[in-house]
């Protein structure tokens, strides 16, 4: 392999040094807003894939048909990752987040209110796109807001909060179903949490200065 030009190495080093420290980021309200957004949104990103197959079976789908709903979610998620990824540089982190969380909230509301089983296909398409998009926007939004200086630590903290919600809500949803023999309350709770994540994301201030020059 050829030698990497020294100018490229210096540029890469300078890029990594840009941004705020983890200690500075912890005093930033935007960081904690993103942690809350991740907690509320990630709850549905693990719960729906876990429970959508039994819900589809309860709605009248065959086992194969119910598995097809999950497959459709996975396929739509790929398109969500690609399209949101391509559009991120133009949209910016806040707008990309709001787009994805709006679709997530609407899809969950649709799941909660729909009465015809075949409409699960529509839900799967919209939810899957939002699912992939939300996964995609987190890391570049952290880099956009805080730079790359301590990206790993900041990103890890945000994902940690998401993991709490992502680990707890599938269990809570299963418990609610066992008690009520219905997913209505659980899906309503997920919808409310997604709406909260959307509200929080929409309240994040727009960037007005480079990440290494502002407290955000």
């Amino acid at each position: 392999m050829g030698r990497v030009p020294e100018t490229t190495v210096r540029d890469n080093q300078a890029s990594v040094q840009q941004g705020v420290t983890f200690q500075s980021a912890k005093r930033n309200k935007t960081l904690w807003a993103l942690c809350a957004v991740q907690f509320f949104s990630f709850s549905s990103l693990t719960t729906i894939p876990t429970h959508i197959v039994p819900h589809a079976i309860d709605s009248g789908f065959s086992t194969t048909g119910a598995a097809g709903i999950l497959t459709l979610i996975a396929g739509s998620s790929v398109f969500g990752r690609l399209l949101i990824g391509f559009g991120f540089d133009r949209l910016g982190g806040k707008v990309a987040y709001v787009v994805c969380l709006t679709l997530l909230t609407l899809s969950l509301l649709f799941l909660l209110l729909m009465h015809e089983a075949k409409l699960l296909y529509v839900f799967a398409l919209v939810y899957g796109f939002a699912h992939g998009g939300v996964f995609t926007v987190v890391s570049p939004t952290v880099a956009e807001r805080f730079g790359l200086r301590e990206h790993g630590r900041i990103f890890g903290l945000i994902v940690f909060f998401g993991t709490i919600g992502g680990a707890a809500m599938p269990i809570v949803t299963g418990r609610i179903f066992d008690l009520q023999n219905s997913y209505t309350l659980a899906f309503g709770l997920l919808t409310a949490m997604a709406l909260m994540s959307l509200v929080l994301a929409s309240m994040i201030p727009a960037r007005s200065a480079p990440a290494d020059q502002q407290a955000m």
Side-chain angles (χ1 to χ4, degrees):
M1 296 178 63
R3 182 180 179 182
V4 178
E6 292 184 6
T7 54
T8 302
V9 173
R10 287 196 297 270
D11 289 344
N12 289 340
Q13 290 174 341
S15 176
V16 170
Q17 290 305 315
Q18 291 178 356
V20 300
T21 64
F22 181 68
Q23 293 301 321
S24 177
K26 288 197 299 183
R27 298 190 293 271
N28 187 325
K29 292 181 180 179
T30 297
L31 172 62
W32 300 109
L34 289 172
C35 288
V37 168
Q38 190 74 357
F39 171 81
F40 287 120
S41 63
F42 203 74
S43 296
S44 66
L45 302 189
T46 55
T47 302
I48 293 299
T50 301
H51 289 277
I52 196 63
V53 170
H55 174 65
I57 292 173
D58 289 344
S59 300
F61 280 79
S62 66
T63 303
T64 303
I69 296 295
L70 186 60
T71 301
L72 187 58
I73 288 174
S76 185
S77 176
V78 172
F79 283 101
R81 293 169 192 263
L82 291 173
L83 292 180
I84 294 298
F86 281 124
F88 183 90
D89 292 334
R90 177 170 296 182
L91 296 173
K94 177 177 179 177
V95 176
Y97 247 124
V98 169
V99 169
C100 294
L101 294 175
T102 298
L103 292 175
L104 179 65
T105 303
L106 290 176
S107 68
L108 292 171
L109 182 62
F110 182 75
L111 176 64
L112 180 64
L113 298 178
M114 71 181 192
H115 298 290
E116 188 174 345
K118 290 183 179 180
L119 292 176
L120 275 174
Y121 290 113
V122 178
F123 161 77
L125 286 172
V126 179
Y127 168 82
F129 186 94
H131 181 280
V134 172
F135 269 103
T136 301
V137 299
V138 183
S139 179
T141 299
V142 173
E144 177 191 72
R145 291 280 166 165
F146 302 101
L148 298 177
R149 184 174 182 178
E150 296 196 34
H151 177 273
R153 296 178 70 183
I154 298 169
F155 176 68
L157 178 65
I158 293 171
V159 172
F160 170 75
F161 276 86
T163 302
I164 295 174
M169 280 309 296
I171 299 172
V172 172
T173 297
R175 181 59 176 166
I176 290 174
F177 181 84
D178 289 341
L179 291 173
Q180 299 195 342
N181 197 32
S182 170
Y183 280 112
T184 300
L185 178 59
F187 289 163
L189 181 58
L190 290 176
T191 303
M193 294 176 76
L195 179 59
M196 180 62 71
S197 69
L198 173 59
V199 171
L200 289 170
S202 66
M203 293 174 62
I204 293 174
R207 286 187 65 232
S208 57
D212 57 339
Q213 298 179 4
Q214 62 171 350
M216 291 166 290

